Amino acid sequence: MTSTISCALGTIRHDWTLPEVEALFALPLMDLLFHAQRVHRERHEPNTVQMSTLLSIKTGACPEDCGYCPQSVRYDTGLAPEALMEVEAVRASALRAREAGATRFCMGAAYRSPKARDLKVIAQMIREVHALGLETCATLGMLSPQQAQELKEAGLDYYNHNLDTSPQFYGEIITTRTYQDRLDTLRAVREADLKVCCGGILGMGESPADRAELLLTLANLPEHPESVPINQLVQVQGTPLAGTAPLDPFEFVRAIAVARLLMPCSHVRLSAGRQAMSEEMQALCFMAGANSVFYGEKLLTTGNPDTERDRRLFERLGLRAETFNGRRSGHEDDHGSALERESGCGCARLHAHAETAP
Ligand code: SAM
Ligand code: DTB
Ligand code: SF4
């Protein structure tokens, strides 16, 4: 089994089956890590980490019922709602992120889907962040094809919209929008020629088969998402998922490795939940093929390791910040260069590298 798996790994496929994905999860951990690191090195510059900084541009009072989320109006989490930020305050925050070493700035809003008036303001935020030479990302809930196009025209590079979990488990977590709604938004985002950031959350009480199905669904999308955020549930008091039994850390590491194997060219992001992880566990995630993190003291409403701590960790592990064309972001001569950056494997577009499985 191992040798069959081994020679097929590293190709770009969109026809994974559940037994194949479950077989990867079932490998001895060291074999799984070995294959994941090998495939990682075939496609990416080793020892580099892409760094994205998040900002909540509109906080709380969300009408949706996502069981993990502190921003839903339905749960008493003690979070104070905040209106859409001013453009200038977002620009100032992006500038600080750039100075701290981030290369991508992700603006998150607690919407089911954005209203037309707010989208105009957000488009202006995107223009300002883009002008700073940062890659731009937004996560604003469901989008229509027209809205996706409007964001593209403002200079948006990535849109984050997660599948969150398997199609089977999804209904246990969210009832106010369907899995198909999410797939429709992802299609609208692709059709507007935006890059896709799409992943999920582990540790919500899902089964091993649900974790396999989530990764299978991501890998079998018509194109692999360029970024795949793998979040560990941040348990927030007041949400229905507070008190869920924590996931075995090695199961989380396995999921990172399987994501790397199923989507060889994508950036796999070790996302929410790092504050609850040991540095040794984070190192294992990088070994498993994670090559991106959220960087900065805050995620959207909850904490993240502070930048100094992350810098020390990266230094101890010999990890470097991913650059734009070999230059660090934050330098004057980097302005406007974000879109010229090649991904670690040199794929301008992932589908251009599609291969057939042997
Ligand atoms: N409201 C928009 C939406 O849901 O599409 C965008 C913002 S929403 C907070 C973005 C993603 O953050 C969610 O899809 C979910 O995957 C992740 N997320 C939210 N709360 C989380 C938590 N407590 N732990 C881990 N991930 C979380
Ligand atoms: C993603 O996959 N994780 C980020 C980002 N995309 C928007 C959000 C994590 C949120 C964690 C809970 C919070 O801080 O509110
Ligand atoms: Fe609203 Fe997004 Fe939170 Fe769901 S995850 S409750 S849509 S902010």
Side-chain angles (χ1 to χ4, degrees):
M1 181 55 131
T2 305
S3 63
T4 321
I5 286 176
S6 156
C7 57
L9 291 175
T11 55
I12 306 294
R13 292 176 51 193
H14 301 273
D15 60 352
W16 289 94
T17 65
L18 189 58
E20 283 179 312
V21 178
E22 288 182 324
L24 292 175
F25 269 100
L27 285 171
L29 183 61
M30 303 311 143
D31 289 355
L32 179 57
L33 290 178
F34 171 77
H35 290 306
Q37 182 63 206
R38 179 177 58 74
V39 166
H40 183 72
R41 281 166 186 260
E42 282 168 14
R43 300 287 189 168
H44 301 268
E45 184 69 30
N47 303 310
T48 62
V49 186
Q50 186 277 329
M51 303 200 296
S52 293
T53 293
L54 280 167
L55 176 68
S56 180
I57 58 170
K58 186 270 170 192
T59 304
C62 182
E64 300 294 277
D65 71 350
C66 312
Y68 47 75
C69 187
Q71 302 202 66
S72 168
V73 75
R74 298 162 194 244
Y75 316 131
D76 181 8
T77 61
L79 183 74
E82 289 169 29
L84 187 61
M85 286 175 72
E86 302 285 338
V87 173
E88 188 44 42
V90 173
R91 184 186 180 278
S93 180
L95 196 52
R96 284 194 296 276
R98 194 185 82 177
E99 278 159 7
T103 55
R104 191 178 306 166
F105 192 68
C106 180
M107 292 157 271
Y111 296 135
R112 172 176 166 82
S113 59
K115 305 259 179 309
R117 201 175 30 150
D118 291 348
L119 204 68
K120 296 258 170 298
V121 180
I122 294 167
Q124 190 51 34
M125 292 173 184
I126 291 165
R127 283 187 202 99
E128 295 284 349
V129 175
H130 177 78
L132 294 174
L134 284 159
E135 289 181 310
T136 54
C137 178
T139 180
L140 317 168
M142 294 190 284
L143 290 186
S144 68
Q146 295 74 8
Q147 288 176 316
Q149 194 55 46
E150 199 172 328
L151 292 170
K152 172 75 183 176
E153 281 159 19
L156 190 68
D157 297 313
Y158 291 82
Y159 194 76
N160 168 243
H161 199 64
N162 290 338
L163 290 178
D164 278 349
T165 189
S166 67
Q168 294 76 12
F169 191 60
Y170 182 87
E172 306 282 318
I173 306 295
I174 299 141
T175 68
T176 49
R177 72 168 83 145
T178 65
Y179 214 73
Q180 188 57 48
D181 287 332
R182 291 190 183 245
L183 294 168
D184 291 347
T185 291
L186 292 172
R187 197 179 57 240
V189 166
R190 269 290 176 225
E191 281 173 3
D193 201 24
L194 288 162
K195 290 183 218 163
V196 170
C197 172
C198 182
I201 310 178
L202 311 184
M204 298 196 291
E206 74 284 348
S207 67
D210 290 317
R211 288 190 283 281
E213 286 264 12
L214 165 67
L215 298 181
L216 172 87
T217 309
L218 290 167
N220 286 349
L221 288 171
E223 289 181 61
H224 292 167
E226 281 80 358
S227 286
V228 180
I230 305 293
N231 297 276
Q232 175 170 276
L233 174 69
V234 178
Q235 298 204 9
V236 179
Q237 277 314 315
T239 60
L241 290 184
T244 305
L247 184 64
D248 174 354
F250 294 128
E251 288 306 309
F252 187 91
V253 173
R254 279 179 189 280
I256 295 270
V258 174
R260 164 54 62 230
L261 291 171
L262 299 188
M263 293 165 279
C265 287
S266 304
H267 276 80
V268 175
R269 183 174 308 127
L270 174 54
S271 301
R274 286 201 297 129
Q275 260 192 334
M277 295 176 194
S278 70
E279 297 197 329
E280 294 83 349
M281 175 178 169
Q282 294 183 56
L284 269 183
C285 290
F286 296 124
M287 182 73 195
N291 60 345
S292 172
V293 292
F294 285 124
Y295 176 70
E297 281 74 15
K298 218 168 167 197
L299 293 164
L300 290 172
T301 66
T302 65
N304 197 41
D306 64 51
T307 51
E308 199 39 52
R309 188 174 179 141
D310 269 347
R311 280 202 208 103
R312 270 204 314 277
L313 174 63
F314 296 159
E315 198 177 312
R316 286 165 69 207
L317 301 179
L319 293 172
R320 303 181 302 278
E322 191 180 280
T323 57
F324 293 142
N325 294 335
R327 291 170 293 171
R328 274 193 71 81
S329 71
H331 289 194
E332 285 303 311
D333 63 354
D334 270 338
H335 290 193
S337 66
L339 291 174
E340 295 155 25
R341 186 182 67 83
E342 289 187 348
S343 69
C345 59
C347 306
R349 287 294 298 262
L350 302 179
H351 66 89
H353 277 235
E355 296 165 38
T356 319

